[in-house]
Amino acid sequence: MKVVIIGGVAGGATAAARLRRLDEGAEIVVFERSGYISYANCGLPYYIGGAIEDPEELTLQTPESFYARFRVEMKVRHEVTAIHPERKTVSVKNLETGAEFEESYDKLILSPGAKPTRPPIPGIDLERIFTLRTVEDTFRLKAYLDVNRPKSAVLVGGGFIGLELAENLRELGLEVTIVEQLNQLMSPFDPDMAAFLHNEARRHGVKLALGRAVAGFEEREGGVDVQLKDGSSLHTDLVALAIGVTPDTALAKEAGLELGLRGSIVVNDRMETSLPDIYAVGDAVQVKHGVTGQDTLIALAGPANKQGRIAADNICGGDSRYSGSQGSSVIKVFDMTGAATGLNEAAARRAGLDVDTVVLSPMSHAGYYPGGKVMTMKVVFEKGTYRLLGAQIVGYEGVDKRIDVLATALRAGLTALQLKDLDLAYAPPYSSAKDPVNMAGFLVDNLARGLVRQFHLEELAALPRDGSVTLLDVRTPQEYAQGRVEGFRNIPVDELRDRLGELEAGKPVYVICQSGLRSYIACRILAERGFECRNFSGGFRFYDAVANDRRLIESATACGMDR
């Protein structure tokens, strides 16, 4: 059996290695148009900033090491220019010599990946405009930085690459501005959770131009003018495009394969395409979302690796199935960590689901053990069924392990209620006896039992201030003096039982505290005494972070730049 693989990196290289482990006699040939067969895409921004110093650390395998270990022919700088399904061959061009030839196959795996999105706008091909997708892209940008010593950069796009590159360029001392068409960075997060990432970026000197779209680029005064659609412009020494990626599927289209979302390759759960003996994996394929079952595109290394393994299994006579992607991801944003899995609230609503959320601010480990830091968690679930739909966490230490627990729970089909029952490891330096994930489950359980009702951030402004309801802040007077929500009066929770006479019977009470815990206790006190009470989800800490972020975005829109 002869297997030809188009493209290396995560999907193609994984498939090649798995094929060899399953079939020692198979002939395996990989064609990769770049000069690198297996490299760490996710590490590229950290080489730019110097966290990874040796460029060889980016290369996971060389053609020579791969052949020595697996006896797989890795032909770099070879571009497949056409697929001929009717005669089971591919046309190949050697990019170094210009020679062209055909290669036959019994089975073909497509792993072409995705290419940086480059919108057709004026000036998109200027020399000072960079992308960061391949090792060659990285070396080109690094060489420009080393030789020209630019002072400023504009990054177009606020996703993973944009934020990671922003951090690393700031480490080099550049003035950095991120231009993002959406009103937030990092679309896997809801805007309220993204507010914490915005604050961290600003705290480290990154300027944010959110809700802005780029109209074009123009060379001027030894740099680039980034022209925005609102008529303003930004002058900078260099531009990096990080708008996103587009499936690289021209070959598949020309070969007659069925295509799906944004030109991606349609595959079944065995990673088989619409044509016999042709498989496809990685960023170029359309997959099913693990929560909604709807078609989606998820360009992450984890899914690509799994898909490569599955394609190899099935080529070798197995019956492996891909069960979908839920988009679990994590990102370092300067000192902070952001992580998400499944659907955020906005995506769940777009999918037509009736959802609710809980927001909490637990410590990363036991509060009495030194060094603990607060994280913010948002768990999304379906009303009525309490089906777990997704989660987002921003914070410092411990964020990654909590999102992995939640991702596992989501994959296992647990409900949000069952989070309270998870038996998780505890020692003071690592967690609390009631782990943050358990705490999220306790909150949902209280809602399910009717022990508390809650109200959310988007409802806050619409609450009547005419005295028809009681708005109550149960923090300490010192906390209240440092910042409060308009219209809320202060009665500390520890004084509430003795001051119930100050509250008018029969009026609904809306309660807020710093994180949601004291206001929950206050709601239980009030409910036991016949008051109808609602607890503010997330607390004043959450409200304050989001409200400040929204004010900055609105101010920047009016004045032309985030400050």
Side-chain angles (χ1 to χ4, degrees):
M1 178 176 64
K2 182 177 180 181
V3 182
V4 168
I5 302 174
I6 301 175
V9 198
T14 295
R18 178 69 170 175
L19 282 165
R20 175 58 71 224
R21 290 194 294 269
L22 296 178
D23 188 343
E24 186 65 20
E27 181 181 356
I28 306 168
V29 183
V30 179
F31 293 111
E32 167 59 47
R33 64 185 166 200
S34 78
Y36 300 85
I37 195 64
S38 181
Y39 56 88
N41 288 75
C42 301
L44 300 181
Y46 299 100
Y47 174 67
I48 296 295
I52 299 173
E53 297 181 357
D54 186 349
E56 292 187 3
E57 293 293 328
L58 298 172
T59 305
L60 305 179
Q61 290 276 3
T62 65
E64 294 76 20
S65 67
F66 212 100
Y67 184 82
R69 177 68 56 85
F70 297 109
R71 292 299 188 267
V72 170
E73 289 188 71
M74 291 288 191
K75 296 184 178 293
V76 297
R77 304 289 297 154
H78 281 68
E79 182 175 12
V80 174
T81 57
I83 302 169
H84 311 289
E86 70 284 354
R87 58 178 185 267
K88 300 185 80 168
T89 65
V90 296
S91 296
V92 186
K93 182 177 182 179
N94 185 324
L95 298 179
E96 293 182 344
T97 67
E100 299 184 19
F101 59 94
E102 280 198 9
E103 188 86 17
S104 64
Y105 66 82
D106 296 311
K107 305 286 184 181
L108 178 66
I109 300 177
L110 305 183
S111 181
K115 54 189 176 183
T117 301
R118 297 178 68 89
I121 57 178
I124 192 71
D125 294 319
L126 294 177
E127 286 187 6
R128 290 184 178 86
I129 297 179
F130 297 84
T131 57
L132 194 66
R133 183 68 178 174
T134 67
V135 174
E136 287 90 345
D137 291 339
T138 307
F139 290 164
R140 176 174 170 253
L141 176 55
K142 187 73 163 67
Y144 183 87
L145 292 166
D146 291 344
V147 171
N148 295 280
R149 303 292 179 181
K151 298 291 190 294
S152 63
V154 168
L155 311 182
V156 183
F160 289 96
I161 294 296
L163 260 179
E164 290 168 347
L165 191 54
E167 176 179 346
N168 283 278
L169 291 177
R170 285 295 296 151
E171 290 290 330
L172 296 177
L174 275 73
E175 180 180 301
V176 175
T177 301
I178 298 177
V179 178
E180 168 56 55
Q181 187 169 357
L182 300 176
N183 276 321
Q184 68 170 92
L185 304 176
M186 292 299 295
S187 59
F189 294 81
D190 285 311
D192 50 14
M193 295 295 286
F196 293 89
L197 303 179
H198 298 169
N199 182 60
E200 182 72 359
R202 294 186 187 107
R203 193 170 69 86
H204 285 84
V206 177
K207 297 177 182 178
L208 304 181
L210 303 178
R212 308 290 186 82
V214 174
F217 306 96
E218 184 178 349
E219 284 188 327
R220 187 175 69 86
E221 298 178 359
V224 179
D225 274 356
V226 182
Q227 299 159 340
L228 305 180
K229 288 186 178 179
D230 64 6
S232 62
S233 66
L234 302 169
H235 186 72
T236 186
D237 293 333
L238 69 89
V239 174
L241 296 179
I243 303 171
V245 294
T246 302
D248 191 358
T249 55
L251 278 177
K253 182 178 180 180
E254 292 169 3
L257 274 69
E258 181 184 354
L259 302 182
L261 297 173
R262 295 177 60 198
S264 58
I265 302 170
V266 173
V267 293
N268 61 18
D269 59 0
R270 288 170 49 86
M271 308 314 298
E272 295 169 325
T273 70
S274 59
L275 294 181
D277 298 320
I278 301 180
Y279 297 73
V281 302
D283 295 353
V285 306
Q286 175 179 289
V287 297
K288 298 293 184 184
H289 196 283
V291 178
T292 66
Q294 296 173 353
D295 294 331
T296 191
L297 301 177
I298 295 182
L300 294 170
N305 276 280
K306 296 179 184 73
Q307 293 160 12
R309 177 186 176 95
I310 288 167
D313 284 354
N314 293 325
I315 285 172
C316 294
D319 187 25
S320 292
R321 307 277 175 161
Y322 189 65
S323 58
S325 300
Q326 61 195 54
S328 300
S329 59
V330 64
I331 184 171
K332 177 182 180 292
V333 182
F334 294 96
D335 299 327
M336 184 170 271
T337 299
T341 188
L343 299 176
N344 62 29
E345 182 181 2
R349 294 192 187 281
R350 287 196 300 270
L353 297 169
D354 188 15
V355 304
D356 201 354
T357 66
V358 291
V359 177
L360 59 155
S361 302
M363 294 287 285
S364 57
H365 61 240
Y368 60 83
Y369 188 87
K373 292 186 177 181
V374 174
M375 65 179 72
T376 304
M377 296 177 62
K378 183 175 185 179
V379 176
V380 184
F381 58 93
E382 188 174 37
K383 287 183 180 178
T385 67
Y386 298 96
R387 178 166 69 110
L388 184 61
L389 300 175
Q392 303 149 65
I393 312 177
V394 290
Y396 301 91
E397 64 179 43
V399 167
D400 53 343
K401 82 171 184 176
R402 271 56 183 239
I403 206 69
D404 282 342
V405 171
L406 288 160
T408 303
L410 185 59
R411 176 63 61 168
L414 299 186
T415 68
L417 293 170
Q418 290 174 300
L419 297 177
K420 72 182 189 306
D421 301 320
L422 294 177
D423 192 356
L424 304 174
Y426 158 62
Y430 304 105
S431 185
S432 300
K434 291 184 283 192
D435 187 86
V437 176
N438 294 136
M439 289 299 300
F442 294 146
L443 290 182
V444 178
D445 183 61
N446 284 338
L447 292 173
R449 292 172 180 267
L451 294 177
V452 69
R453 300 170 70 186
Q454 59 182 358
F455 66 107
H456 296 284
L457 185 67
E458 59 272 16
E459 303 172 63
L460 195 55
L463 290 178
R465 266 70 173 180
D466 59 2
S468 59
V469 300
T470 299
L471 306 179
L472 185 62
D473 187 322
V474 297
R475 295 176 298 158
T476 66
Q478 293 79 12
E479 290 172 310
Y480 183 77
Q482 290 173 0
R484 57 188 179 271
V485 180
E486 181 186 355
F488 279 73
R489 60 176 297 192
N490 182 224
I491 299 179
V493 66
D494 292 340
E495 301 176 14
L496 183 58
R497 290 181 180 88
D498 297 327
R499 297 175 62 180
L500 286 174
E502 298 178 28
L503 305 181
E504 187 175 336
K507 284 186 180 180
V509 184
Y510 290 78
V511 189
I512 191 170
C513 74
Q514 191 69 9
S515 67
L517 175 58
R518 283 173 287 174
S519 50
Y520 164 64
I521 294 169
C523 273
R524 291 306 306 147
I525 292 170
L526 293 169
E528 287 291 311
R529 285 154 177 82
F531 286 89
E532 179 189 334
C533 188
R534 288 181 180 267
N535 183 23
F536 181 67
S537 177
F540 182 82
R541 174 183 173 273
F542 183 68
Y543 159 81
D544 194 42
V546 179
N548 285 336
D549 179 61
R550 290 178 179 173
R551 281 193 291 269
L552 285 169
I553 293 172
E554 290 168 3
S555 173
T557 301
C559 300
M561 181 52 56
D562 196 327
R563 293 188 291 265

